[in-house]
Structures are given as C-alpha cells and as structure tokens.
Amino acid sequence: MKHTDIKKLFQNPQDYIDQSVVICGWVRTARDSKTISFIELNDGTCLKNIQLILEKENLQLDDMKNAMVVGASLRVEGKFIVSEKNGYEITVTDIKVLGECPQDYPLQKKRHTLEFLRTIPHLRPRARYFEAVFAVRNQLSFAVHKYFNENDYKYVHAPIITGSDCEGAGEMFRVTTQPWTTDFKSEEEYYQNDFFGQKAGLTVSAQLEGEMAAMGLGRIYTFGPTFRAEHSNTTRHAAEFWQIEPEVCFAEIDDIIEIAEDFIKYIIRYVMDVCSEELQFFNQWVEPGLIDKLNNVVNSDFGRITYTEAVEVLKKSGKDFKYPVEWGCDLQTEHEKYLTDEYFKKPVFVVDYPKDIKAFYMKQNDDGKTVAATDLLVPGIREIIGCSEREWDYKKLESAMLQRGMPLEMYKEYLDTRKFGSVPHSGFGLGFDRAMMYLTGVQNIRDTLLFPRTVGSL
Ligand code: 4AD
Ligand code: MG
C-alpha cells in the first residue's frame, strides 16, 4: 500500500503542496456539518494529526458514514494544501475504510485518565500521551547505543536465564520445566532433574557476565531486560525492567562516575534534539518546567557527597523523619527525597556506602567500613543508577562472599577473572524505565512500559 507518512508531510511540506497524496491512519476526531465534514487522522509517525476536509457531494455516503467514526482506520487520497487555520490539510477525493470501529471502542474521549489507560495497554499506544512516551523511549534507546558506539564500547548480549543471583537479594524469578512432586527427596534432587540440571532463574542484572566480557574486551555494555520479584508495589518498581550496564576495565570509581555523568547528559541532549515536540507535550501536560529542568541538568555539574556526609546533612536537617538516620542504615525514600528535592535540587552521586548494606562485588575501601560504590539520585525519582568499582583482589572478594554465605562453587568462573590477570574495573546499571520517567516527567513506571509487569499484574 503505497502511502506517505503524515510526518513526512509536515517535515517537507514543499514536496507535497497542491499535489495528490495517499495517507493511512486512525480517526482521532470527526466533525460533521451540512456540506462539509472534518476528520483528524493520525498514523503514529508523529504527534500531529492531519486535518481532512470531506466535501459530501464528492464522496460516497456509505464510506463517509463509516469513516466518521473515532478509531476507524482509513486510506485516504486527496490534495495536500496550505490552510490558514491548520497550517496544512487535505481535501479528500477518495476515502476507503480499512477497518470499521464499533461504538464500544474505549478511546472515545479526547482525554482519558492514566489509570483508565492502564487497563487497556493493548490500545493505549493510540493515545497521544503514549505516542509521545514511545517516541521518546525509541530515541532514548538509540541514544544509548549511539553513545557507547561512539566511545568504543562493545555491545554484548548477556544471558537472560542464569544460575547466579548478582545482587544477592533473593529476588530471582525461578525458571523450571518440571512440576514438584513428593517423589523428589530433596530440593537438590529436584533441581538435578530439571531442564538445566541445576537451579535456574531470570537475571536480575547482567553485571557478572558483563564483567567477564569486559575482562577481555576492555569496555562493554549490555542493554536488556532484567527481572526482579520485588514485592515493592511502588510507582518506581517493575518486575520486568530494562537496564543498561557498562563495564569498563582500568577504570576506578572516579572514572566511572565521570563516565556516568557524561553518558546521562549525552542521552538527555540527544532526546532534546530529536524529540522536541514530544518534550513540549510533556512540558505542557505532564511536568511544567520539564524543559528548563533538563536544560539545567545538561548544563551544570551533578552534586557529589559521601554517604557519611549525607548522614550528617540529614541529621542536621531538622526534619522529623519516620525512620531515624544513623550511620550504617540504608537510606530510606524520605532521606533520599530530602537530599535530592530539597538539599541539592539536582542529580547527586552519593559515594562510599557502608559495606554491609551493599552487594558483595564492590571494592572495599581502606577504611575497612565502606565500599567504593555510588548511587545517582535525581529529584522526583531518586535512585536511577547503581554504580561501583569492583573488588578485584581475589582474597578480599572471596572473603566478602564467604561473609555473605554465598556458595563459592557457583561463582568459580567469576572468581577466575580475579585469578587470571585481574585488573581494576568499574561499572554501573542505569534503570532505563526510570530514566524515561526523569526525561518525560511521567510519574509512574507503568506508563513508560508497553506492557508493564508488576506484582499481581501481568
Ligand atoms: O542498583 P541496582 O540493583 O544495581 C545493579 O543491578 C548493578 N548490578 C548494576 C551494575 O553495577 N551493573 O540496579 C540498577 C538500577 C537502579 O539504580 C534502578 O534505576 C534500576 O536499576 N532498578 C529498577 N528499575 C525498575 N524497577 C525495579 N524493580 C528496579 N530495580 C532496580
Ligand atoms: Mg541500587
């Protein structure tokens, strides 16, 4: 079906003015008057609709009747003309209804609540809001690949099914093909008989595999889905989310922090360049001041504070926190919120966390108490990046694993990287869907994903 994208008409109007064009799309609005009718058509190639002018005496009445229905899909032929009121429009010479749309089409109104749209994820890409979300999501993904490609990272595809729990938080979804029966005498026997002959699950992070790849390829990144069976029913947690995980050899904590900041600024700048219309939309309807915020982010330095200093700041804040702050505690939402939204009012790296609240693989600092790890916290969302220098000393890594009761035999290959030519290296994980929230002002992670998976909802 040879037709022209609506986006092309708006991008290069001079190529089409006063010429006959064919376009296809879905009816967004339809208005009838005595001799003329108007349809706004959208084909998903851009946020803008094109206005169709239908002169009744020139068109078949039957076609008209089925075409003047919100949600119907059309193939339209007509003349593309300049219009004083709308910029451009099409005076229709032929109209064909591709798919009729009955009255129970749920997207009748111009504006629906996000809660309602969440109940129809299969249809919501037809709503303007989600057209804008998925346009940004597409360009943001592209920006990620572009950044790493330009900086000589190799894109590696880490496995999704794995035997190791990288974060050690016990949040892995299990992968199995066999039902449990009482014939199995032990859990061990059950797993031995299972598809992989051992316990398997969906990855919570590609980091461990990424490290092994980097320890030969030098600089790599992964960009894929990760899965966590977290029972946190919040606006920032999904059970299936996308993570970008670069791993860089010969980089220490300060080097990776510099990379993370450069990377975040680059991808924001890219999206600001290519999605200005979508960002205007979010700025107008979703987060007033969004564009100013993003401009500030790309043009100023991120904040930086040690965990120990942050605890002092929180203690001196005079705030009546629900969870009291003491050195060694995990920072709660309210604490992070104070640091980002009130104290710094911009993205901030909190560095050198107590080792007991962080993962086993992080480099132990000389103080014996903290690790060379940082979270990047941003206003409104809080943590979007988890980052660290990795422990590259075999003995120290082994002892951190033993302290946590980890089965060393499961991590033999990982430990091998520290045995055979170990090097300092660092990496981070950016939650892609949270980055989407930050860039668009979308308040709920469920509205950044095509089919969100969260606890209790598939
Ligand atoms: O801080 P996390 O757990 O770090 C890691 O997984 C490291 N292995 C990364 C690395 O160093 N390669 O997760 C990284 C980021 C978080 O900062 C957050 O943005 C996002 O992943 N994230 C989630 N996003 C949505 N839903 C969830 N349930 C998430 N859990 C983590
Ligand atoms: Mg984290």
Side-chain angles (χ1 to χ4, degrees):
M1 194 175 279
K2 275 259 183 287
H3 67 284
T4 304
D5 289 346
I6 294 174
K7 180 177 178 171
K8 291 224 172 88
L9 297 180
F10 284 116
Q11 249 175 6
N12 302 309
Q14 66 287 351
D15 293 353
Y16 300 98
I17 283 168
D18 293 331
Q19 292 185 36
S20 178
V21 294
V22 174
I23 57 163
C24 298
W26 293 270
V27 176
R28 279 287 171 83
T29 64
R31 253 183 324 124
D32 212 5
S33 74
K34 227 181 194 164
T35 54
I36 298 186
S37 299
F38 303 93
I39 288 178
E40 281 193 55
L41 202 71
N42 187 284
D43 67 355
T45 58
C46 66
L47 275 191
K48 281 201 196 79
N49 304 327
I50 183 94
Q51 165 128 303
L52 309 179
I53 313 287
L54 301 103
E55 287 170 11
K56 289 184 180 171
E57 56 176 24
N58 301 332
L59 297 163
Q60 294 282 338
L61 269 181
D62 265 2
D63 290 344
M64 285 281 293
K65 204 176 101 233
N66 291 330
M68 298 290 295
V69 175
V70 173
S73 51
L74 312 179
R75 178 191 184 277
V76 171
E77 212 172 318
K79 197 165 154 190
F80 182 69
I81 56 167
V82 177
S83 123
E84 251 177 45
K85 213 170 124 220
N86 296 303
Y88 304 100
E89 50 195 30
I90 291 174
T91 51
V92 176
T93 51
D94 185 57
I95 196 159
K96 185 166 176 256
V97 177
L98 298 173
E100 292 178 16
C101 191
Q103 286 306 309
D104 56 353
Y105 179 56
L107 293 171
Q108 295 290 347
K109 289 191 293 186
K110 244 196 152 162
R111 229 169 278 149
H112 295 272
T113 65
L114 291 170
E115 289 75 16
F116 170 70
L117 291 170
R118 246 169 254 150
T119 66
I120 47 165
H122 61 303
L123 292 173
R124 68 179 184 172
R126 294 195 199 181
R128 206 167 139 80
Y129 187 99
F130 288 93
E131 240 189 286
V133 164
F134 293 117
V136 171
R137 202 171 165 110
N138 170 50
Q139 295 294 358
L140 188 62
S141 312
F142 186 74
V144 167
H145 289 300
K146 194 162 150 53
Y147 177 86
F148 288 121
N149 191 273
E150 285 172 6
N151 289 285
D152 279 323
Y153 287 67
K154 291 194 177 65
Y155 175 35
V156 299
H157 300 100
I160 285 175
I161 302 175
T162 171
S164 56
D165 180 356
C166 171
E167 293 306 301
E171 288 161 345
M172 273 175 98
F173 285 100
R174 198 180 292 167
V175 174
T176 175
T177 53
Q178 73 176 345
W180 170 263
T181 73
T182 44
D183 296 347
F184 296 116
K185 290 187 192 66
S186 63
E187 230 190 322
E188 209 176 16
E189 192 187 312
Y190 167 79
Y191 290 126
Q192 273 166 8
N193 279 280
D194 207 349
F195 188 90
F196 295 106
Q198 68 173 82
K199 192 173 175 178
L202 298 178
T203 185
V204 297
S205 159
Q207 179 191 322
L208 303 188
E209 293 87 358
E211 280 187 61
M212 297 179 204
M215 299 286 248
L217 302 174
R219 272 206 292 283
I220 64 93
Y221 74 104
T222 65
F223 184 4
T226 43
F227 309 86
R228 292 189 191 178
E230 277 173 292
H231 282 267
S232 335
N233 199 358
T234 77
T235 53
R236 301 174 300 122
H237 287 87
E240 178 177 312
F241 62 98
W242 286 70
Q243 216 186 140
I244 296 145
E245 297 186 89
E247 197 64 39
V248 187
C249 285
F250 319 111
E252 297 175 334
I253 187 74
D254 289 336
D255 304 312
I256 197 75
I257 287 178
E258 204 177 305
I259 292 169
E261 182 167 340
D262 186 49
F263 166 67
I264 294 282
K265 286 177 175 172
Y266 178 97
I267 59 178
I268 293 180
R269 245 185 239 118
Y270 184 84
V271 170
M272 291 182 84
D273 275 353
V274 297
C275 289
S276 56
E277 198 178 342
E278 286 79 7
L279 292 183
Q280 286 291 348
F281 171 86
F282 291 117
N283 193 69
Q284 183 174 359
W285 300 105
V286 180
E287 182 182 325
L290 174 76
I291 292 178
D292 284 345
K293 173 187 94 176
L294 296 177
N295 268 319
N296 275 334
V297 171
V298 297
N299 290 318
S300 55
D301 293 336
F302 292 3
R304 186 165 167 164
I305 190 171
T306 65
Y307 167 90
T308 305
E309 288 161 355
V311 167
E312 286 311 305
V313 165
L314 290 164
K315 278 186 170 168
K316 287 188 196 134
S317 69
K319 294 268 162 182
D320 187 18
F321 293 121
K322 187 166 158 226
Y323 298 91
V325 204
E326 273 313 321
W327 198 95
C329 76
D330 212 351
L331 296 182
Q332 300 292 324
T333 299
E334 55 179 352
H335 307 139
E336 293 183 344
K337 210 173 151 127
Y338 175 77
L339 290 173
T340 52
D341 298 14
E342 293 186 51
Y343 192 78
F344 280 98
K345 297 193 174 75
K346 63 177 184 178
V348 55
F349 287 102
V350 180
V351 293
D352 296 334
Y353 280 88
K355 67 177 195 278
D356 293 339
I357 57 169
K358 287 289 184 189
F360 73 96
Y361 51 73
M362 296 174 174
K363 183 172 161 26
Q364 296 156 39
N365 287 330
D366 292 339
D367 62 13
K369 294 193 302 190
T370 61
V371 281
T374 178
D375 283 354
L376 177 64
L377 312 179
V378 300
I381 307 194
R382 300 179 292 286
E383 182 189 340
I384 61 167
I385 280 182
C387 171
S388 60
E389 183 171 341
R390 319 307 191 189
E391 183 53 74
W392 60 290
D393 179 276
Y394 188 102
K395 281 276 165 242
K396 285 189 186 164
L397 179 60
E398 188 184 51
S399 84
M401 294 170 86
L402 286 172
Q403 263 172 26
R404 287 168 173 79
M406 293 169 66
L408 291 189
E409 64 285 0
M410 296 271 304
Y411 294 85
K412 184 183 169 303
E413 291 82 3
Y414 183 67
L415 280 162
D416 270 355
T417 56
R418 275 54 170 183
K419 184 172 158 193
F420 306 123
S422 189
V423 297
H425 61 290
S426 304
F428 65 82
L430 169 69
F432 183 75
D433 320 275
R434 289 193 188 167
M436 272 295 295
M437 293 170 73
Y438 190 52
L439 245 120
T440 56
V442 167
Q443 291 284 310
N444 194 317
I445 199 164
R446 290 165 182 78
D447 299 330
T448 69
L449 286 149
L450 191 55
F451 287 93
R453 272 78 175 92
T454 51
V455 54
S457 162
L458 189 67

